[in-house]
Amino acid sequence: MTDTLLKFMLGAGHVRGVVVRLESVWREMRKRRQHDALVQNLLGEMTAAAALLAGSLKFDGSLVLQIQGDGPLRLAVAECQPDFGLRATAKADVHAVGSLSELANAHGMGRCVITLDPRTKDQGQQPYQGIVSLADASGQSLSDLGAVLQQYLAQSEQIPSWLMLAAGEQAACGLLLQRMPDSGGTAGAAGRDAEADEDFSRAVHLASTLGRDELLQSQPEDLLRKLFWQEEPRVFSPQSPHFHCTCGKKRVADMLRMLGQDEVESVLKEQGEVDVTCEFCGARYAFDLVDAARLFRPDVNQPPAPPHPQ
């Protein structure tokens, strides 16, 4: 299986983890949308991270990971659906170069945004959104996505976490470790279990012997056996991540209705048709005069715009 996500527990159950390896998913993404190598690899890390975060949560909905940059990288988005359907896209200047801080935090205004959008919502319920800076508490820019997400997890979940991400031409991979919360509260509360702290520290020490090249070259099962064989990892049923874009002609039609009839007719007059290309998968949706007329017929149901960009 080339695309695998495994959840696991270590030792006495004080440490939980998720490991993911994306091969065919990542190749499909690279084939559909091309970016410079640095941006492409960041997208791979973001896709692996979105799967890891989704795998660590008891949550029925989509998880959207965004980098909102103030440098050559303006926006990068990775989305994970409840069944681990994945897609990603980026907007960046041509020939963008540098570390994460140079790409997306050149002026100190870069942000990482994690959105949890429930599949079924109560009336008036909004998606949960967490925002974290691309810099640490002292204002020093963080150099990689793993450090940014560790900061997010520490702030939002208050659970000690360790994360490694890597992406190359053939695969995008990630490993996440988290200390389980104490039964009386969060893992950071006073009087927490010293044994759990020791188990987490040991797991992080073992995981820290892993290099990014080794992460990219190892299958998840082999990696767990190699790193944690003394911890007797308990591995749960594997999940199968896959490429999946949620775009479609109906969603594009909804978007055009939100633009309004005057705007659509203006494009039709100038170009003869409205041509929309999905930024995630490259699929093209064309609306001619007849299609556009149907959009604004009084008897056509006009649902609200989709929650995420096409």
Side-chain angles (χ1 to χ4, degrees), residues 95-199:
H95 306 308
V97 296
S99 64
L100 176 63
S101 59
E102 294 168 317
L103 282 173
N105 201 37
H107 307 289
M109 300 299 292
R111 296 289 182 268
C112 177
V113 181
I114 293 90
T115 302
L116 302 178
D117 192 7
R119 181 149 51 179
T120 57
K121 298 185 182 72
D122 296 331
Q123 186 174 5
Q125 182 181 4
Q126 298 296 317
Y128 165 81
Q129 191 170 81
I131 302 175
V132 65
S133 170
L134 300 184
D136 61 20
S138 66
Q140 185 71 31
S141 289
L142 297 168
S143 60
D144 63 76
L145 180 63
V148 172
L149 293 177
Q150 283 182 201
Q151 179 171 268
Y152 165 78
L153 291 168
Q155 292 178 3
S156 66
E157 296 187 14
Q158 299 182 334
I159 297 176
S161 304
W162 181 93
L163 185 67
M164 177 178 280
L165 302 164
E169 291 188 1
Q170 301 302 319
C173 305
L175 174 63
L176 171 65
L177 298 176
Q178 292 186 307
R179 181 198 185 279
M180 291 292 289
D182 294 324
S183 58
T186 65
R192 62 187 182 183
D193 190 340
E195 182 183 356
D197 288 342
E198 183 177 343
D199 287 351

Side-chain angles (χ1 to χ4, degrees), residues 15-155:
V15 180
R16 67 186 180 194
V18 187
V19 59
V20 66
R21 181 175 182 83
L22 308 173
E23 291 184 19
S24 62
V25 170
W26 182 224
R27 287 195 296 269
E28 184 69 20
M29 289 184 181
R30 287 170 58 87
K31 178 179 72 175
R32 288 174 177 266
R33 305 297 289 176
Q34 294 296 318
H35 302 279
D36 279 5
L38 284 171
V39 174
Q40 195 89 332
N41 287 345
L42 175 61
L43 270 185
E45 291 186 3
M46 289 180 65
T47 305
L52 288 179
L53 294 174
S56 71
L57 298 172
K58 293 181 179 179
F59 171 72
D60 184 21
S62 61
L63 183 146
V64 182
L65 172 62
Q66 296 183 60
I67 298 291
Q68 299 175 353
D70 66 356
L73 177 70
R74 299 184 298 280
L75 179 68
V77 182
E79 182 180 281
C80 184
Q81 295 295 322
D83 63 349
F84 293 99
L86 295 163
R87 65 176 187 168
T89 190
K91 294 182 179 179
D93 295 342
V94 178
H95 306 308
V97 296
S99 64
L100 176 63
S101 59
E102 294 168 317
L103 282 173
N105 201 37
H107 307 289
M109 300 299 292
R111 296 289 182 268
C112 177
V113 181
I114 293 90
T115 302
L116 302 178
D117 192 7
R119 181 149 51 179
T120 57
K121 298 185 182 72
D122 296 331
Q123 186 174 5
Q125 182 181 4
Q126 298 296 317
Y128 165 81
Q129 191 170 81
I131 302 175
V132 65
S133 170
L134 300 184
D136 61 20
S138 66
Q140 185 71 31
S141 289
L142 297 168
S143 60
D144 63 76
L145 180 63
V148 172
L149 293 177
Q150 283 182 201
Q151 179 171 268
Y152 165 78
L153 291 168
Q155 292 178 3

Side-chain angles (χ1 to χ4, degrees), residues 263-280:
E263 182 70 22
V264 171
E265 288 180 350
S266 174
V267 175
L268 284 169
K269 184 177 180 180
E270 180 180 340
Q271 302 180 10
E273 68 177 9
V274 180
D275 195 353
V276 179
T277 300
C278 177
E279 295 180 359
F280 287 90

